[in-house]
Amino acid sequence: MATAPIPARTALNVRPFFENKTRAFWTLQAVGWSGYLVLRSASTIAIVQSFQPFIPLIIEAIVGYCVTLLLSALFGYYRTIPRVAGLLLTVITLLIAVLVYAVIDAFAFSLVAQGSSPGLTIGRLLAAMYVTFTVLAGWSALYFGINFYLIVEEQIDQMHDLTTQASTAQLAMLRYQLNPHFLFNTLNSISTLVLLKQTERANAMLNRLSSFLRYTLANEPTAHVTVAQEVETLKLYLEIEKMRFEERLRPVFEIDAAAERARLPSLLLQPLVENAIKYAVTPQEEGAEIKVRVQLAGDRVRIAVSDTGPGLNEGRIGSSLSTGVGLANIRDRLFQAYGPDQRFETRSTTTGGFSVEIEIPFQLEDMNREAA
């Protein structure tokens, strides 16, 4: 019996509250001291069975509110100076604040208790200092704890942004590796046609090359395109290559209509077809068939590019990986786009033929562009 996966980390999302730090501070001040007044009043009145200490408790809460406002300003300044000096000043300021707060608190209670002749005693002052030290020390701990949390969150955001930028840059680099490699082969073919004085074919290839580049350069290098757009781009590319190989190149497309809206990294299939042309069509006099198949299987998209060439051999693996624009490029692009949530496999049969199978999540939105 399958069980639901337990999330690795469950955390309370408090970021929206702290997006406006000033508003968050005043809210916490108001709620915190109001709650302190309610708790102190309830406990004191329950002990003395009288409402007489209520006025001193209100004074105590108001004074504590004002003292912590001053502390927040001073603590904020201390964070900008050297750490040792700031720590020393923080401790001294906290002790002075405790003493001042205790004197005011003790005097307020003695005024209520003794009427017209209030006075401070050592016992009353020490009791007040115990309460005020507990309150202000707790408030200071919360102040520094919250600020430390905000600093850590800010650093995490900065690191996430840097990671995203690095990932975007790597995706762009991998994508830009494709066009120069393809352009080199195509321009070399055009140059050969010109030398052979086949100007009409050279002009037709140039026109198709410009259409292909116009189509591909319209998309950002890190963007995803639909399967339909990718297949259309692939057909433009194959029109160029078909002028070189004519009937030796036999492309076949089997595209599931339900998968046409699925998104994948742009120009993902072109180097696979280019690889098939190089190692299946070029070395064989009769050429080869190259099949591109895209199917939807639940929430996954399965893509296969296969050929009827000589199959897998050491030269094919080595060349694909050594150029930096073959199979290794596709593996890197898939990992950058989907992480471990993808599958990339190569296969070859004893009777000949080579295939590359890719499985990616079915997505209708361009998640990679939004992240970039």
Side-chain angles (χ1 to χ4, degrees):
M1 179 177 177
T3 58
I6 300 175
R9 179 172 177 258
T10 304
L12 180 64
N13 185 11
V14 295
R15 286 195 178 192
F17 179 76
F18 287 106
E19 284 180 356
N20 188 329
K21 294 181 181 179
T22 303
R23 182 181 62 186
F25 172 79
W26 289 107
T27 302
L28 289 175
Q29 275 286 95
V31 173
W33 284 106
S34 297
Y36 174 78
L37 175 61
V38 171
L39 291 176
R40 280 278 287 163
S41 300
S43 60
T44 304
I45 293 172
I47 294 173
V48 302
Q49 299 294 320
S50 172
F51 288 94
Q52 186 179 7
F54 187 68
I55 300 300
L57 290 174
I58 294 178
I59 297 174
E60 178 182 324
I62 294 174
V63 172
Y65 183 90
C66 296
V67 169
T68 51
L69 289 182
L70 181 60
L71 286 178
S72 67
L74 293 174
F75 288 168
Y77 170 72
Y78 296 158
R79 289 164 55 198
T80 63
I81 63 178
R83 182 171 299 178
V84 176
L87 180 60
L88 183 61
L89 287 174
T90 298
V91 174
I92 294 173
T93 302
L94 179 60
L95 293 177
I96 294 174
V98 168
L99 180 60
V100 173
Y101 190 13
V103 169
I104 297 174
D105 190 27
F107 183 81
F109 274 95
S110 67
L111 182 63
V112 172
Q114 299 178 11
S116 59
S117 58
L120 294 177
T121 63
I122 297 298
R124 181 170 291 169
L125 183 60
L126 290 176
M129 287 186 66
Y130 172 78
V131 174
T132 55
F133 176 79
T134 303
V135 172
L136 294 185
W139 182 94
S140 300
L142 282 174
Y143 174 86
F144 286 108
I146 291 173
N147 278 278
F148 179 76
Y149 164 80
L150 294 176
I151 291 172
V152 171
E153 288 294 318
E154 184 177 353
Q155 291 177 346
I156 291 175
D157 289 340
Q158 291 175 355
M159 186 168 292
H160 180 267
D161 291 340
L162 291 174
T163 303
T164 301
Q165 292 173 14
S167 178
T168 301
Q170 186 171 1
L171 277 172
M173 179 193 69
L174 292 171
R175 160 67 190 277
Y176 282 133
Q177 285 178 347
L178 304 178
N179 287 339
H181 187 262
F182 164 66
L183 285 174
F184 174 80
N185 290 338
T186 305
L187 292 176
N188 187 53
S189 299
I190 293 173
S191 175
T192 302
L193 291 174
V194 171
L195 289 176
L196 296 174
K197 297 183 179 181
Q198 299 182 19
T199 54
E200 291 185 3
R201 294 186 65 194
N203 184 60
M205 186 174 285
L206 279 173
N207 288 332
R208 291 175 181 178
L209 175 62
S210 64
S211 299
F212 175 80
L213 293 178
R214 188 183 305 112
Y215 195 94
T216 57
L217 294 177
N219 295 307
E220 298 178 8
T222 58
H224 288 191
V225 298
T226 63
V227 168
Q229 290 172 319
E230 181 75 359
V231 169
E232 188 67 24
T233 306
L234 200 55
K235 288 180 179 179
L236 285 173
Y237 166 75
L238 285 170
E239 286 180 4
I240 297 172
E241 295 290 18
K242 195 150 180 70
M243 295 192 67
R244 294 172 55 200
F245 297 100
E246 297 180 341
E247 298 303 320
R248 295 173 59 203
L249 173 59
R250 300 183 294 277
V252 177
F253 289 90
E254 294 181 1
I255 311 300
D256 187 352
E260 288 185 346
R261 293 190 303 141
R263 289 189 174 269
L264 72 166
S266 63
L267 286 183
L268 183 72
L269 303 184
Q270 185 265 340
L272 295 178
V273 174
E274 182 180 355
N275 192 65
I277 292 174
K278 183 176 181 180
Y279 296 103
V281 178
T282 302
Q284 298 188 123
E285 184 177 351
E286 70 277 13
E289 177 184 282
I290 299 177
K291 179 182 292 185
V292 178
R293 185 176 72 252
V294 182
Q295 295 177 322
L296 184 63
D299 60 347
R300 312 288 290 178
V301 178
R302 292 176 181 170
I303 304 170
V305 177
S306 59
D307 61 59
T308 57
L312 188 63
N313 55 67
E314 292 183 0
R316 182 165 189 165
I317 298 176
S319 298
S320 296
L321 295 178
S322 63
T323 59
V325 290
L327 302 181
N329 184 290
I330 301 302
R331 286 192 183 97
D332 290 341
R333 295 188 69 197
L334 286 171
F335 185 80
Q336 286 293 323
Y338 304 104
D341 192 21
Q342 47 84 21
R343 180 174 62 87
F344 181 92
E345 294 181 357
T346 58
R347 294 182 181 178
S348 181
T349 61
T350 55
T351 57
F354 181 80
S355 68
V356 176
E357 295 185 2
I358 297 172
E359 186 175 286
I360 59 176
F362 178 66
Q363 296 176 347
L364 296 178
E365 300 295 332
D366 191 350
M367 303 299 181
N368 196 64
R369 175 181 289 179
E370 293 175 2

